[in-house]
């Protein structure tokens, strides 16, 4: 078998397992999802799961990485629609919090993910997000929109606020009501970064 064909088959196997896991984790939750049922739904064996992901937790990491990339794309799309860089910065954070209303994201990313994989702020995707937010804040400082401060410190606090707001929304008994409160507070907190106009 040619190397290219083998690589393509491995990618297809991984994609099938991730698709089946996403569906199972969203519908049943991580703990209740059966590896035998999940692999059968993908038309594969448990051996394929172990070979590609190590174990069920490794498969959850892969599903979360895929969801995280989709969340980033949606938040950036909200940023790119805004009229100014500052409004884009705000809308990106708000869009991230609003994604906590999507059942799949709520269940996998915000409820099961932290319970199984630990603190979401330590997940690999968060480092890239932190770097991006730091660069955005640096640009807002350079343009005179945001007051001078340590950009990384501000990025950590803003990202932490958005993440914790999303976790709060996901875990609440009334997510839409909590979302409204969380978004209002997030906008208020973020606005504290603005340079005062004298």
């Amino acid at each position: 078998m040619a190397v290219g064909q083998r690589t393509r088959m491995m990618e297809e196997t991984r994609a099938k397992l991730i698709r089946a896991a996403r569906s199972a984790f969203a519908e049943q939750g991580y703990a209740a999802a059966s590896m035998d049922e999940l692999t059968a739904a993908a038309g594969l064996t448990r051996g394929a799961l172990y070979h590609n992901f190590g174990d069920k937790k490794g498969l959850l990491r892969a599903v979360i990485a895929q969801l995280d990339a989709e969340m980033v794309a949606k938040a950036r799309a909200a940023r790119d629609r805004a009229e100014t860089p500052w409004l884009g910065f705000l809308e990106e954070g708000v869009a991230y919090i609003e994604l906590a209303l999507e059942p799949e994201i709520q269940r996998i990313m915000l409820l099961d993910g932290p319970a199984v994989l630990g603190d979401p702020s330590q997940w690999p995707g968060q480092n890239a997000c932190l770097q991006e937010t730091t660069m955005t804040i640096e640009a807002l400082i350079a343009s005179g929109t945001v007051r001078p401060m340590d950009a990384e410190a501000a990025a950590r606090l803003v990202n932490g606020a958005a993440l914790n707001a999303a976790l709060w929304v996901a875990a609440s008994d009334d997510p839409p009501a909590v979302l409204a409160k969380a978004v209002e507070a997030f906008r208020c907190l973020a606005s504290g970064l603005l340079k005062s106009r004298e």
Side-chain angles (χ1 to χ4, degrees), residues 94-186:
V94 168
Y96 181 88
I97 298 166
E98 289 173 340
L99 287 167
L101 291 181
E102 292 189 14
E104 185 181 42
I105 288 169
Q106 195 175 90
R107 181 87 180 248
I108 299 171
M109 290 286 294
L110 301 171
L111 297 175
D112 287 349
V116 176
L117 302 177
D119 181 4
S121 70
Q122 302 303 311
W123 295 354
Q126 292 299 317
N127 287 330
C129 188
L130 176 63
Q131 290 173 354
E132 176 104 12
T133 304
T134 301
M135 288 189 297
T136 300
I137 291 173
E138 286 170 347
L140 289 167
I141 291 169
S143 71
T145 305
V146 165
R147 67 182 75 189
M149 67 184 73
D150 186 275
E152 182 185 346
R156 286 183 181 278
L157 294 173
V158 168
N159 284 6
L163 173 60
N164 279 289
L167 291 167
W168 181 36
V169 170
S172 74
D173 292 332
D174 187 358
V178 170
L179 175 69
K181 295 180 209 174
V183 166
E184 181 184 12
F186 177 81

Side-chain angles (χ1 to χ4, degrees), residues 54-70:
D55 57 13
K56 188 177 175 185
K57 195 184 274 192
L59 183 54
L60 177 63
R61 279 190 196 95
V63 169
I64 283 178
Q66 188 178 75
L67 281 169
D68 190 46
E70 292 170 13

Side-chain angles (χ1 to χ4, degrees), residues 13-70:
T13 297
R14 286 179 63 84
K16 284 179 186 177
L17 286 165
I18 291 171
R19 201 167 31 252
R22 233 175 121 154
S23 176
F25 295 162
E27 291 169 18
Q28 302 160 25
Y30 174 82
S34 156
M35 289 202 299
D36 288 329
E37 290 174 12
L38 191 152
T39 52
L44 298 163
T45 64
R46 279 178 81 148
L49 185 149
Y50 293 130
H51 176 73
N52 283 280
F53 300 103
D55 57 13
K56 188 177 175 185
K57 195 184 274 192
L59 183 54
L60 177 63
R61 279 190 196 95
V63 169
I64 283 178
Q66 188 178 75
L67 281 169
D68 190 46
E70 292 170 13

